[in-house]
Structures are given as C-alpha cells and as structure tokens.
Amino acid sequence: MAKISVIGAGNVGATTVQRLAELELGEIVMTDIVEGLPQGKALDLMQAGAIVGYDTAIRGSNDYEDIADSDLVIITAGIARKPGMSREDLISTNTKIINEVSKNIAKYAPSSIVMNVTNPLDIITYTALKATGFEPEKVFGMSGVLDAGRFASFIAEELRCSKKDVEAMVIGGHGDLMVPLPQYTTVSGIPLTELLPEGEITRLVDRTVNGGAEIVGLLKQGSAFYAPSAAVARMAEAVLKDSKRILPASAYLEGEYEQEGIYFGVPVKLGASGVEEILELELSEKQYEILRKSAETIRKVISGLGV
Ligand code: APR
C-alpha cells in the first residue's frame, strides 16, 4: 500500500488529507510543528471515515521520522498570505521552513516524489529541489491545475454551462505573470475562442490571474484552500496510480520554453516517476513575452537565495 505524507496540518494540508483519505489512495501521515494539531485533525478525519465510508489510515505527528519510506510527500508547511501581501512577501520565512522540511524528506523518505504547494510556488519548489538533492523529475509544484480550475470555473459561469465540460490550460509563474492559454482551452472539445469574444476572454483571464488575491481579500486572514487541495489530490492520484495524466505543473526546465535552471508552470505528463515529460506548446509572441518576464523575475529571486 502506498504511503503519503503531508507536511503542514493547516488549511491546505488538512483539507488535502481529507480529500486523499476519501480517495483511499494509501495510508497518510500528516505532520506539523504545532503539538497536538496534526494528531487532533488526524483523529477527526479517521472518525469521519466511519460516516463518509473510507478505511484510510491517518496519523498525525510532530516527528519527521514518521514520514519514513513515503512514496509521495506533499509540502504545505509555511505561512500564507494576508490582504495586501504578494506571494513573494512570503519568501524568507517559507524558504527557511522548506529548507528544513526538505532536508528531512531527503533523510527519511529518499525515494519519495515531492509535490510542493507552499508559496511563492516556483521559488519554493526550486528550494525543495536543491535542499533534497533529488532528481528534478521527482520534485514539482502544484499551481497550474489550480489556476486552470479557476479559469474553467469562470468560463463555465460565463457560458452558463457545466464545469465538467471545460478543460483549461494555464502556464507560467504562479503569480501576476501566469499565462492562461485560451487557444488551448476547450469546452467539450470546442475551442474557447469560438465561444466567447476576445474582450470577454481577456476579462476572464484577468480574473484568473488575480483569482488567489480575490479570495485573500475576502478571507482577510489566510488564503484559499478548497480549490488548492482539490488540485493537489488530482495530481497525487496521477502519481500514485501512475496514470500519466497531462496536467500543468511547476517543473524544472532544462531548455524548454527557452528557459534553463528554473521552475515554472508547463504542461507535463505525470506518473509514478513524477514529471515524466514536459510538453512544449506553440505560443503567441505576447504569451512568450510574459513567460520571459516571469522567468526573469523568478531567476532574480533565485540568485538572491544562495541555495
Ligand atoms: N514543519 C511543519 N509544519 C510547519 C512548519 C514546519 N517547519 N512551519 C509551519 N508549519 C505549519 C504551521 O504550523 C501551520 O499549521 O504549516 C501550517 C500552515 O497552515 P496555514 O497557516 O493554515 O496555511 P495554509 O493556508 O495551509 O497555506 C500553506 O500553502 O497555498 C500555500 O500560500 C500558501 O504558503 C502557504 C501554504
């Protein structure tokens, strides 16, 4: 049976555990630095199994030793945004936390696949790569599935159609410079560009780019977690079932999309070995321009990290 560890038992971590438990993908360990928090939430989630109908074993812990031999480790530890903060404002605190978390992953779960969720996503995923010393295909970040989910939800609302029929694609950095791709977004196979005028699409693209901030502004403390955990569960399932799903993920680029040595969102094939392939799409010159800008910003931050 597979073993999944979720680091961080906060909003994203605990909701992720709930979704994974319901999918019965394997036994789950949830860790946090706060004593009692992961243990209490694990007990609560175990008891929910008797009502919802799942048999997943869930254990809470404050000890890295308990993640030993995990097949998949999901990082959600760190601080979240408050109103007025960008994802970049989280860098110094979250880099320190993820350095420590990653060293322990390398120590106790050296064969695991690592999925990072902590923001700023592309920077922290890079930190996890360096601090674990793992092969790049084994370390990736969750961002595009969430951003594409937001885009798809806005499209379905606008068209008054089922969300189930919308397949959206969003690439680039997980921030103001993400690049929703209307030309690779379809509704039951019909290109979005056939269904909505350009101005309408632009409005939905803008709302997608600011989708996380819109929620932070409403919550006033903390950031989104229902859609993020849904995105994590979809990606975890692809890895644990080796289903080779084509999904956007923050992946380490080695020449793809003109970039080398950084992480940002691209379509990948996701399976038991992690990122098994990166798919290169043709983009418009304007989309490439945003990607270059996004890459430049990420590169600048990385060079200041000293990792
Ligand atoms: N090890 C384990 N857990 C830690 C550590 C650590 N070193 N440091 C902090 N934590 C825990 C906190 O105790 C807290 O329970 O991480 C948890 C974070 O939970 P929340 O504050 O609820 O934040 P959440 O909304 O879950 O977001 C976590 O995911 O989407 C991103 O931007 C978001 O970076 C943020 C992360």
Side-chain angles (χ1 to χ4, degrees), residues 238-259:
V239 170
L240 295 163
K241 290 188 174 168
D242 192 22
S243 44
K244 322 277 186 204
R245 289 203 65 172
I246 308 291
L247 298 168
S250 180
Y252 189 70
L253 301 179
E254 292 170 290
E256 300 87 357
Y257 294 90
E258 305 178 346
Q259 300 304 326

Side-chain angles (χ1 to χ4, degrees), residues 238-306:
V239 170
L240 295 163
K241 290 188 174 168
D242 192 22
S243 44
K244 322 277 186 204
R245 289 203 65 172
I246 308 291
L247 298 168
S250 180
Y252 189 70
L253 301 179
E254 292 170 290
E256 300 87 357
Y257 294 90
E258 305 178 346
Q259 300 304 326
E260 192 123 28
I262 59 164
Y263 272 87
F264 71 50
V266 289
V268 306
K269 185 188 285 176
L270 212 53
S273 333
V275 173
E276 298 185 352
E277 197 183 324
I278 292 175
L279 284 77
E280 270 198 271
L281 303 176
E282 268 183 41
L283 303 176
S284 71
E285 191 42 41
K286 196 172 160 215
Q287 289 167 337
Y288 248 113
E289 252 171 51
I290 307 174
L291 275 192
R292 286 186 204 114
K293 227 185 193 175
S294 170
E296 205 181 300
T297 316
I298 294 170
R299 203 179 303 284
K300 235 184 239 164
V301 177
I302 283 175
S303 66
L305 284 180

Side-chain angles (χ1 to χ4, degrees), residues 7-14 31-34 37 41 64 75-81 87 90 94 96-98 100-101 117-121 124 142 146 174 222-225 228:
I7 316 294
N11 281 337
V12 176
T31 72
D32 203 285
I33 40 165
V34 179
L37 180 74
K41 288 192 178 181
Y64 284 114
I75 303 176
T76 76
I79 54 164
R81 283 197 284 172
R87 293 182 180 89
L90 311 172
N94 285 352
K96 276 190 212 115
I97 293 172
I98 273 39
E100 183 210 302
V101 167
V117 190
T118 298
N119 275 311
L121 198 275
I124 295 295
M142 184 294 291
L146 167 63
H174 185 51
S223 49
F225 53 98

Side-chain angles (χ1 to χ4, degrees), residues 25-306:
L25 292 171
E27 61 172 301
I28 305 173
V29 171
M30 169 165 53
T31 72
D32 203 285
I33 40 165
V34 179
E35 278 182 31
L37 180 74
Q39 292 87 346
K41 288 192 178 181
L43 261 182
D44 196 4
L45 283 161
M46 282 287 276
Q47 292 158 10
I51 303 161
V52 177
Y54 56 78
D55 288 312
T56 309
I58 307 162
R59 193 153 41 105
S61 167
N62 301 115
D63 202 335
Y64 284 114
E65 264 177 47
D66 288 320
I67 71 166
D69 304 323
S70 298
D71 298 287
L72 173 67
V73 181
I74 299 166
I75 303 176
T76 76
I79 54 164
R81 283 197 284 172
K82 298 213 166 63
M85 282 172 96
S86 75
R87 293 182 180 89
E88 280 62 36
D89 291 331
L90 311 172
I91 289 175
S92 77
T93 308
N94 285 352
T95 314
K96 276 190 212 115
I97 293 172
I98 273 39
N99 252 318
E100 183 210 302
V101 167
S102 303
K103 291 204 171 106
N104 281 289
I105 294 173
K107 184 172 173 193
Y108 293 108
S111 312
S112 60
I113 302 287
V114 177
M115 185 194 320
N116 173 55
V117 190
T118 298
N119 275 311
L121 198 275
D122 307 288
I123 309 287
I124 295 295
T125 311
Y126 179 88
T127 307
L129 175 81
K130 294 296 162 186
T132 52
F134 286 3
E135 290 297 315
E137 71 166 4
K138 291 179 62 187
V139 181
F140 61 87
M142 184 294 291
S143 56
V145 175
L146 167 63
D147 298 325
R150 286 179 173 148
F151 192 28
S153 159
F154 299 147
I155 291 166
E157 240 175 68
E158 186 62 35
L159 291 174
R160 296 183 189 203
C161 74
S162 169
K163 292 187 180 86
K164 292 178 193 162
D165 292 328
V166 187
E167 287 286 348
M169 179 55 73
V170 177
I171 64 169
H174 185 51
D176 302 343
L177 294 172
M178 72 178 72
V179 189
L181 299 178
Q183 75 268 45
Y184 295 111
T185 295
T186 60
V187 182
S188 222
I190 307 162
L192 179 65
T193 44
E194 301 276 314
L195 296 169
L196 285 174
E198 202 183 326
E200 208 50 56
I201 294 177
T202 306
R203 196 177 58 79
L204 301 182
V205 163
D206 290 346
R207 190 165 177 206
T208 302
V209 172
N210 296 307
E214 185 179 354
I215 293 172
V216 171
L218 290 165
L219 293 180
K220 305 222 167 45
Q221 40 187 340
S223 49
F225 53 98
Y226 293 113
S229 58
V232 173
R234 176 179 286 190
M235 295 177 86
E237 191 173 23
V239 170
L240 295 163
K241 290 188 174 168
D242 192 22
S243 44
K244 322 277 186 204
R245 289 203 65 172
I246 308 291
L247 298 168
S250 180
Y252 189 70
L253 301 179
E254 292 170 290
E256 300 87 357
Y257 294 90
E258 305 178 346
Q259 300 304 326
E260 192 123 28
I262 59 164
Y263 272 87
F264 71 50
V266 289
V268 306
K269 185 188 285 176
L270 212 53
S273 333
V275 173
E276 298 185 352
E277 197 183 324
I278 292 175
L279 284 77
E280 270 198 271
L281 303 176
E282 268 183 41
L283 303 176
S284 71
E285 191 42 41
K286 196 172 160 215
Q287 289 167 337
Y288 248 113
E289 252 171 51
I290 307 174
L291 275 192
R292 286 186 204 114
K293 227 185 193 175
S294 170
E296 205 181 300
T297 316
I298 294 170
R299 203 179 303 284
K300 235 184 239 164
V301 177
I302 283 175
S303 66
L305 284 180

